């Protein structure tokens, strides 16, 4: 990795929902963070390893310090084992960590037992738990999300301020409090809207839900990603434009391969 390429979030994929992932209408690879040279990856869905190497510049998985897996759904977890092998160089790099849910390591585990010894730590998320990724980067999993798998969103304290990633969840009142005081807010917005009342609050945030959260929290930037078909048809960049007008916050619709420069948070 080029030394100049520092302090960014790179979205290797922006797909959410089964159809978009299964047809690869958008890439389902994970989200790569680089903060003052510390690299970590969130939710290595299908295609993550391949995307690391087809990115320009390339992203070298052996430079990762940590992988964070927010829940065991296929679109988030498929590449977790191969990424652990790549991050640790099959166990030769001994200081690498994975942070994930209990469900991802028990029952039908998505993290295989044979790659676990490669890690220096396999840490388990709980509501309100804190984890150290590096001395200047702390992760909190503030609240259990409402989703069909055990799922947590992420709140990072960093030298660039507080950055939160609201992973898959139905909308509920506790979200705004849990992710308050975020300078940067990333939201998985799978659906344009609910088709009917019965669909309300079953799995994912809609545009209206995301807008409500952004309006309350008032981050410097909000990034929307993890799109299902209704969002893609609606042209996410046009949706983001309307959301910006409605919330007074600069909302950006993420595209595959987009890199967000964290220095913007200091401006
Ligand atoms: Zn999910």
């Amino acid at each position: 990795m080029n030394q100049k390429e520092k302090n960014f979030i790179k979205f290797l994929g922006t797909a959410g929902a089964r159809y978009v992932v299964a047809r690869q209408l958008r890439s389902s690879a994970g989200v790569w963070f680089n903060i003052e040279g510390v690299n970590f990856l969130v939710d290595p869905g299908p295609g993550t390893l391949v995307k690391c190497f087809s990115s320009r510049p390339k992203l070298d998985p052996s430079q990762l310090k940590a992988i964070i897996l927010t829940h065991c759904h296929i679109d988030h977890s498929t590449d977790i084992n191969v990424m652990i092998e790549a991050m640790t160089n099959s166990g030769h790099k001994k200081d690498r960590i994975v942070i994930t849910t209990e469900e991802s390591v028990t029952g039908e585990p998505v993290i295989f037992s044979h790659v676990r010894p490669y890690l220096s730590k396999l840490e388990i998320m709980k509501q309100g738990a804190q984890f150290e990724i590096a001395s200047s980067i702390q992760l909190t999993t503030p609240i259990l999300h409402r989703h069909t798998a055990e799922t947590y969103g992420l709140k990072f304290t960093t030298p660039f301020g507080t950055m939160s990633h609201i992973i898959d969840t139905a909308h509920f009142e506790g979200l705004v409090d849990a992710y308050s005081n975020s300078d940067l807010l990333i939201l998985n917005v799978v659906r344009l809207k609910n088709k009917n009342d019965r669909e309300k609050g079953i799995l994912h945030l809609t545009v209206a839900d995301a807008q409500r959260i952004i309006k309350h929290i008032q981050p410097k930037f909000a990034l929307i990603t993890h799109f299902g078909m209704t969002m893609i048809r609606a042209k996410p960049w046009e949706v983001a434009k309307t959301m910006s007008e409605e919330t007074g916050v600069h909302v950006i619709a993420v595209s595959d391969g987009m890199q967000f420069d964290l220095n913007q948070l200091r401006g």
Side-chain angles (χ1 to χ4, degrees):
M1 203 180 309
N2 187 332
Q3 265 309 100
K4 284 185 211 136
E5 295 282 341
K6 255 192 181 178
N7 300 317
F8 61 83
I9 302 173
K10 180 135 183 162
F11 292 83
L12 296 171
T14 57
R18 292 189 184 108
Y19 187 81
V20 177
V21 174
R23 310 287 303 177
Q24 288 290 293
L25 300 177
R26 293 254 181 147
S27 159
S28 48
V31 184
W32 184 296
F33 289 71
N34 177 300
I35 299 175
E36 295 188 330
V38 177
N39 297 289
F40 56 95
L41 179 75
V42 172
D43 286 351
T48 299
L49 181 61
V50 170
K51 275 283 175 193
C52 285
F53 287 99
S54 62
S55 275
R56 292 292 170 266
K58 256 185 245 180
L59 296 168
D60 176 358
S62 73
Q63 301 301 308
L64 287 167
K65 176 78 198 332
I67 302 174
I68 299 159
L69 175 62
T70 62
H71 64 297
C72 61
H73 282 165
I74 282 175
D75 55 329
H76 296 252
S77 69
T78 308
D79 271 14
I80 184 77
N81 293 293
V82 75
M83 289 306 295
I84 291 172
E85 282 216 344
M87 170 173 75
T88 62
N89 195 7
S90 303
H92 291 290
K93 291 179 185 280
K94 308 247 179 243
D95 59 343
R96 307 300 156 91
I97 61 176
V98 166
I99 304 167
T100 190
T101 59
E102 181 83 40
E103 197 179 31
S104 300
V105 293
T106 55
E108 184 178 53
V110 297
I111 301 180
F112 297 150
S113 52
H114 77 267
V115 301
R116 295 182 201 178
Y118 297 164
L119 300 166
S120 80
K121 273 190 279 185
L122 177 58
E123 300 204 83
I124 302 298
M125 295 172 173
K126 299 224 162 31
Q127 185 157 300
Q130 287 194 17
F131 308 92
E132 183 174 298
I133 294 173
S135 57
S136 63
I137 308 165
Q138 315 289 326
L139 165 66
T140 308
T141 47
I143 197 163
L144 179 66
H145 282 193
R146 297 200 183 151
H147 200 45
T148 50
E150 182 192 10
T151 305
Y152 291 94
L154 310 171
K155 195 169 188 180
F156 300 100
T157 313
T158 79
F160 292 87
T162 300
M163 305 177 199
S164 293
H165 190 161
I166 305 184
I167 303 289
D168 301 2
T169 184
H171 184 264
F172 62 99
E173 282 314 313
L175 286 173
V176 166
D177 268 358
Y179 299 101
S180 61
N181 301 316
S182 295
D183 299 291
L184 175 69
L185 200 55
I186 307 166
L187 303 103
N188 286 5
V189 184
V190 175
R191 310 164 76 114
L192 188 61
K193 51 187 163 204
N194 294 309
K195 273 192 230 124
N196 53 48
D197 272 357
R198 269 220 330 245
E199 282 192 337
K200 259 193 190 140
I202 48 174
L203 267 178
H204 287 297
L205 296 179
T206 62
V207 168
D209 297 331
Q211 214 160 269
R212 204 171 306 136
I213 296 167
I214 294 166
K215 207 168 185 168
H216 274 97
I217 295 179
Q218 290 288 310
K220 291 178 187 160
F221 293 90
L223 309 180
I224 56 170
T225 184
H226 208 63
F227 303 126
M229 215 41 224
T230 55
M231 280 299 288
I232 289 174
R233 280 204 203 98
K235 303 190 174 86
W237 57 95
E238 287 182 5
V239 175
K241 199 167 161 243
T242 312
M243 290 173 82
S244 298
E245 286 158 11
E246 294 287 327
T247 60
V249 171
H250 189 179
V251 180
I252 299 166
V254 178
S255 52
D256 285 353
M258 191 192 102
Q259 192 162 302
F260 181 82
D261 178 1
L262 293 175
N263 291 302
Q264 292 177 87
L265 296 175
R266 286 181 167 159

